[in-house]
Amino acid sequence: MTDINSAKSKIEKTGFLDIDIDPAIDLFAGIELLKKEKNAIILAHYYQEPDIQDVADFIGDSLGLAQQAEKTNADMIVFAGVHFMAETAKILNPSKKVLLPDLNAGCSLSDSAPPALFKLFKDKHPDHKVITYINCSAGIKALSDIICTSSNAQKIVESLPADQPIIFAPDKNLGAYINKQTGRNMVLWNGACMVHEIFSLEKITKLKIRHPEAKVIAHPECEDAVLNIADFIGSTTGLLNFSKNDPATSFIVATETGILHQMHKQSPDKTFIPAPPNNNCACNDCPHMKLNTLEKLYLCLKYEMPEIMMDEELRLAAKKPIDEMMRISALYNL
Ligand code: 13P
Ligand code: SF4
C-alpha cells in the first residue's frame, strides 16, 4: 500500500505515479467509482488513447475542453491531455483541483516558445498585438493580447482591425494558413507541431491515387503543401464533424491518429485512413498525448496527484487573453 508521502516523492522523481496496480482490478469500473466518490470529471482530448476517451465525461478540441473546464461544477478536473491544457483549466477555474496523469505530457509547440525569448521578440514589434495559439505556456499567455485555438483562430484574427499589425505565435503553419485565409501579413513565431509537420505529401498523394474517392481532411497545424491538397481543413472537432456530415464515405485523415476512434464511432460505415508521416511508421501518434494511460488515470484519481499548481499573479495575467478569446468565441457561438 502506497502512502501519500511516497506517492508525492514518486511524482517528484518521475512526474507521474509509478505504482504497480493489482492486475485483478477492473480499471474502467474503478475509475467510474472514484469519479463518483470524488465528484470528479474527466476531460479528454481526441488524441488520447481509445480507452481513455471511453471513460471521459467530455471529449473535445482545445476550445471545447477549455469551455467545459470553465463551467464545470465538479470538485476535481482530471485532464487527459497535455500540460498546457490542464494549466488552462486551472487558469479558468482555480478553485478546482486540476490533475494531469503525467506531468511529462508536454507539447513541441509550447516548448518552441520560451517566455524570455518571446518577450525579446515582442519588444522588437512594439506596435503589434499578440495573438497566441492556446498551445503555449502560461508565461507566453501572460505576454499575449488574445488567445486562439484552431477552431476560432480566423475569427479572432478578423476581430482586430485590418490595419492592426499582429504577431502570431507559436505555430508558423497555423499562422501562415490564417494569413492566407484573411489576407493579413502577421509576423509569425517559428514554432511547429512535431506531429503535424511530418506528414508526407508524397505518401498522401500515393494514398489518394489508390483511393481516388477518399477526401483528404487536414488539421491547420500541417504544412502548406499538405493543406494545399486537402478537401477540408479544420480543428479536431471540425474534422470530426465534417467526416460525419459529408456524403463521402472514405477519408484520408491528416492529424493525430487518436481522432480516428471517434470518427469510427460516429460513422461506423465509413473508412478512415490515417495519413502517413515521412518516417517508417504507418500512422502518426503524439508522444506527449500518448504518455497518459488508463493506469495513470486511475492512480491520478485515486491519489489526487499530480496536481497543477499556479502562481496567482501569473494565473491572472494569463487569464486576461483567454477571457478575451472566450468573449469573442461566445459572440460567434463557437
Ligand atoms: P485542436 O484539438 O484544438 O484542434 O488542437 C489540436 C492539437 O494539436 C492539440 O494539441
Ligand atoms: Fe503539441 Fe502537436 Fe502533440 Fe498537439 S499533437 S500536443 S500540438 S506536439
Side-chain angles (χ1 to χ4, degrees), residues 61 82 87 96 106 137 152 194 196 236 262 265 310 326 332:
D61 66 2
V82 292
E87 194 174 60
K96 311 296 177 187
S137 64
N152 60 19
M194 62 188 288
H196 289 88
T236 49
Q262 292 306 316
K265 272 179 118 168
M310 280 204 76
M326 294 301 210
Y332 291 100

Side-chain angles (χ1 to χ4, degrees), residues 154 173-186 188 223-225 227-229 233:
Q154 186 168 336
N173 291 322
L174 176 62
Y177 170 67
I178 300 296
N179 269 343
K180 224 176 182 176
Q181 294 298 105
T182 59
R184 308 257 175 152
N185 187 21
M186 300 186 293
L188 308 180
E223 289 186 334
D224 192 45
L227 297 181
N228 280 340
I229 57 155
I233 298 165

Side-chain angles (χ1 to χ4, degrees), residues 45 47 82 84-85 106-110 133 135 171 192-196 221 255-256 285-289:
H45 189 267
Y47 297 164
V82 292
F84 77 81
M85 295 178 169
C107 166
S108 66
L109 267 173
S110 181
Y133 193 33
N135 297 38
D171 188 3
C193 161
M194 62 188 288
V195 177
H196 289 88
E221 286 173 21
T255 191
E256 213 265 4
D285 278 335
C286 171
H288 304 290
M289 287 278 181

Side-chain angles (χ1 to χ4, degrees), residues 239-283:
L239 298 178
L240 182 61
N241 291 341
F242 181 82
S243 70
K244 189 176 164 191
N245 299 327
D246 192 78
T249 55
S250 87
F251 300 87
I252 297 168
V253 184
T255 191
E256 213 265 4
T257 44
I259 187 85
L260 267 68
H261 183 54
Q262 292 306 316
M263 287 179 172
H264 284 302
K265 272 179 118 168
Q266 295 196 7
S267 308
D269 298 329
K270 295 190 178 184
T271 305
F272 298 100
I273 308 159
N278 57 17
N279 54 29
N280 292 330
C281 306
C283 53

Side-chain angles (χ1 to χ4, degrees), residues 299-310:
L299 290 166
C300 167
L301 259 168
K302 181 170 170 177
Y303 291 96
E304 301 183 16
M305 60 179 92
E307 183 179 356
I308 302 291
M309 307 298 270
M310 280 204 76

Side-chain angles (χ1 to χ4, degrees), residues 98-126:
V98 178
L99 307 172
L100 180 67
D102 189 330
L103 290 177
N104 303 302
C107 166
S108 66
L109 267 173
S110 181
D111 292 347
S112 78
L117 273 186
F118 189 71
K119 170 87 172 59
L120 294 176
F121 182 75
K122 183 182 159 176
D123 289 347
K124 282 194 192 140
H125 303 90

